[in-house]
Amino acid sequence: MIRAGRNVTLALAVDGRKWHNKDFAGEQWASARLLYAKVEAGARSQRHGLWSDPNAIAP
């Protein structure tokens, strides 16, 4: 989702406020799929947002 020229969905992933929904990854371009996976991995390793909970449960 783009708002005011900013990719809000990606920003949420960077901040650790959303999962990269792999159920729909096949509908993404390969470059977007890799980017979302990368930013989620970064958020996880930095324990940002929902990743601060070691027992976070996927929706």
Side-chain angles (χ1 to χ4, degrees):
M1 174 195 329
I2 306 297
R3 176 102 170 141
R6 183 174 184 217
N7 185 329
V8 177
T9 308
L10 184 60
L12 289 170
V14 168
D15 291 342
R17 300 189 188 280
K18 74 171 288 310
W19 256 266
H20 174 219
N21 191 337
K22 293 161 187 75
D23 291 340
F24 297 102
E27 297 177 19
Q28 291 177 303
W29 292 337
S31 58
R33 187 170 48 249
L34 292 171
L35 178 60
Y36 278 89
K38 180 180 175 180
V39 299
E40 181 180 298
R44 282 179 184 245
S45 70
Q46 296 293 315
R47 302 218 181 275
H48 287 268
L50 58 92
W51 306 116
S52 64
D53 180 353
N55 299 311
I57 299 171

